[in-house]
Amino acid sequence: MTFDDIFKSSFLENVTSISLLDMVLALGLAFGIGVFIFLIYKKTFKGVMYSASFGVSLIALSMVTTLVILAVTSNVVLSLGMVGALSIVRFRTAIKEPLDIVFLFWSIASGIVLAAGMIPLAVFGSLFIGIILLVFVNRSSVDTPYIVVLSCLDTESEQNAARQLNGFVKKSVIKSKTVSQKGVELNYEIRLKSDDTAFVNTLSELPGVQNIVLVSYNGEYMG
């Protein structure tokens, strides 16, 4: 093999298949949109514990996807090999929040669209999605379910507290009841009439009510 053979290699020919300007522009835009997705995620997060690493991974995911699609679009043979390589990858990280899946798919989709050269679609589409998420996710709703944990001394105080509770809330459903020598503990799922939670203070002052706790509930956790 001579030096001429080295410089005639198809590997070196692929160096110029994508211009430096295209790479810088695509990755720069991917970084910008990734930061925008990260900020929307941070603003709309409603889970138990915020993960900064997940937010940063959204930025990286947009850039990595752009990098991969740029390589795939420049070489048909490489695209076939990439499909085969990605098909054996298995991701085992548990996704607890449904919205996290939306943000992951958003980052991947923005990277694909950018690398395909559809810059206006990627930019304006991301802006539109971000506005929609801000409007609907941050919208306060009085129909949010809550759990009321009510501890009473006896049956009479339990019935009195239940009547008062039904008058304060829009809907209440008893989920569990525990009876012991110390008293009665009830768990109610309720829907509030408004954002006012002063009724908890009123119920705590009723005769026979030992303790009352109000927590938000989304079906998986309370907090």
Side-chain angles (χ1 to χ4, degrees):
M1 178 180 293
T2 64
F3 285 103
D4 291 336
D5 295 330
I6 295 175
F7 286 105
K8 290 179 182 179
S9 171
S10 59
F11 172 76
L12 294 178
E13 291 176 359
N14 290 333
V15 174
T16 58
S17 60
I18 301 176
S19 67
L20 181 62
L21 178 61
D22 291 340
M23 288 187 289
V24 173
L25 181 62
L27 292 176
L29 287 172
F31 174 75
I33 292 180
V35 171
F36 177 73
I37 296 173
F38 165 71
L39 294 176
I40 297 295
Y41 170 75
K42 189 175 181 180
K43 188 71 175 178
T44 59
F45 180 77
K46 297 292 183 181
V48 180
M49 185 176 296
Y50 171 74
S51 174
S53 61
F54 181 81
V56 175
S57 68
L58 295 175
I59 303 176
L61 189 59
S62 297
M63 299 180 69
V64 170
T65 305
T66 300
L67 188 67
V68 171
I69 299 302
L70 281 175
V72 167
T73 55
S74 65
N75 193 316
V76 178
V77 177
L78 179 61
S79 65
L80 297 176
M82 190 70 69
V83 170
L86 293 178
S87 65
I88 64 174
V89 177
R90 296 292 182 269
F91 299 97
R92 300 186 181 275
T93 302
I95 303 296
K96 297 182 179 179
E97 294 292 330
L99 269 180
D100 289 353
I101 301 176
V102 174
F103 282 99
L104 287 172
F105 188 71
W106 183 8
S107 297
I108 295 173
S110 63
I112 294 174
V113 174
L114 272 176
M118 302 176 186
I119 297 177
L121 177 60
V123 174
F124 292 107
S126 294
L127 287 174
F128 183 76
I129 293 172
I131 293 172
I132 293 297
L133 289 175
L134 286 175
V135 170
F136 285 93
V137 175
N138 289 333
R139 183 181 61 178
S140 60
S141 175
V142 297
D143 201 40
T144 303
Y146 287 85
I147 290 292
V148 171
V149 181
L150 185 63
S151 299
C152 302
L153 285 175
D154 49 31
T155 303
E156 183 179 353
S157 58
E158 170 199 343
Q159 294 175 348
N160 185 29
R163 284 194 301 268
Q164 295 286 339
L165 177 63
N166 290 328
F168 286 122
V169 302
K170 182 168 60 175
K171 179 183 178 181
S172 67
V173 179
I174 187 168
K175 290 295 184 179
S176 67
K177 179 178 179 179
T178 304
V179 180
S180 64
Q181 294 181 350
K182 296 180 180 180
V184 182
E185 182 179 281
L186 303 106
N187 291 329
Y188 284 93
E189 180 182 337
I190 64 171
R191 297 294 193 279
L192 301 179
K193 295 180 179 179
S194 64
D195 292 332
D196 186 14
T197 59
F199 70 93
V200 177
N201 301 335
T202 304
L203 292 176
S204 66
E205 297 173 355
L206 293 176
V209 175
Q210 295 177 309
N211 187 32
I212 180 170
V213 179
L214 176 69
V215 292
S216 62
Y217 178 68
N218 75 343
E220 297 178 357
Y221 67 88
M222 290 182 285

